[in-house]
């Protein structure tokens, strides 16, 4: 930003007598960094119920912080970019991190019951509401349930049947501009996020 001709980046350009670029020196440089912290917890529990076994598995992730800087050399410089917090946002992080969404927390739970040769289970995935990382709208909380069953027909053959996205939950809408004014032909934009939320709807499967 200071346009210092003696900076590391400017000195990598060799110029001719007329000021034109004559050559560029390439160098491997660590020019970015990120810092993150969080908590992962898992619960596994089961007990005998009605002649069968009831089991619960739950995985919980909490993101305390996710900070990154597009230029951080570890040595204080005038052009060094401060760290920015991305936890709880959909903003695209720097330093090669994925912009798939830094959810503040996530929950994935499975409840299963098995008796003799029959088993049934329900899976619940929860994503909390998340900010867009800018002035646009974020995305609301999202829940998806999956049902699965199994039956051991013989000692060598298992039958499986299930329903993914049991309640036909559509992907959520977000990233719209709330300041857009239709009177000035401004569109709100936004759309359905199909990368993080189910876009296929309710579907069934059968296998053996």
């Amino acid at each position: 930003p200071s346009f210092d001709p003696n900076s590391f980046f400017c000195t990598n350009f060799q110029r001719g007598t007329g000021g034109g670029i004559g050559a560029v020196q390439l160098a491997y440089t660590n020019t970015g960094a990120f810092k993150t912290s969080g908590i992962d917890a898992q619960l596994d529990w089961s007990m005998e119920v009605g002649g069968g076994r009831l089991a619960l598995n739950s995985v919980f992730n909490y993101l305390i912080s996710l900070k990154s800087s597009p230029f951080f050399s570890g040595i204080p410089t005038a052009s060094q970019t401060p760290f920015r917090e991305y936890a709880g946002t959909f903003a695209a992080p720097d330093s090669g991190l994925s912009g798939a969404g830094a959810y503040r927390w996530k929950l994935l739970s499975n409840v299963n019951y098995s008796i003799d040769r029959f088993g049934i289970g329900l899976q619940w995935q929860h994503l909390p509401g998340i900010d867009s990382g800018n002035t646009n709208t974020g995305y609301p909380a999202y829940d998806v349930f999956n049902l699965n069953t199994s039956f051991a027909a013989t000692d060598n053959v298992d039958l499986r049947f299930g329903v993914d996205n049991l309640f036909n939950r559509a992907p959520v809408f977000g990233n719209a501009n709330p300041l857009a004014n239709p009177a000035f032909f401004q569109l709100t934009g936004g759309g359905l996020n199909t990368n993080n939320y189910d876009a296929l709807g309710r579907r069934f499967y059968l296998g053996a």
Side-chain angles (χ1 to χ4, degrees), residues 89-193:
T89 74
F90 249 116
D94 308 298
S95 308
L97 296 177
S98 170
Y103 292 91
R104 181 64 74 174
W105 61 279
K106 298 179 182 180
L107 180 65
L108 178 65
S109 298
N110 293 275
V111 178
N112 297 282
Y113 183 74
S114 59
I115 182 170
D116 297 329
R117 293 175 173 266
F118 178 76
I120 185 170
L122 183 67
Q123 182 185 76
W124 171 37
Q125 180 183 7
H126 174 77
L127 293 175
I130 189 170
D131 294 332
S132 64
N134 50 45
T135 58
N136 289 355
T137 60
Y139 295 88
Y142 187 78
D143 296 276
V144 168
F145 293 87
N146 301 316
L147 177 70
N148 64 84
T149 62
S150 64
F151 177 71
T154 70
D155 292 338
N156 299 317
V157 178
D158 288 343
L159 302 178
R160 304 184 309 274
F161 172 75
V163 185
D164 288 342
N165 197 347
L166 182 62
F167 300 109
N168 201 28
R169 186 76 160 90
V172 292
F173 183 90
N175 199 29
N177 180 9
L179 303 179
N181 190 341
F184 293 95
F185 305 102
Q186 297 175 345
L187 301 179
T188 58
L192 299 176
N193 186 319

Side-chain angles (χ1 to χ4, degrees), residues 64-85:
I64 297 174
S65 176
L66 177 61
K67 297 179 180 180
S68 68
S69 170
F71 176 61
F72 184 83
S73 62
I75 302 175
T77 62
S79 58
Q80 186 160 288
T81 306
F83 281 88
R84 178 184 173 189
E85 180 64 69

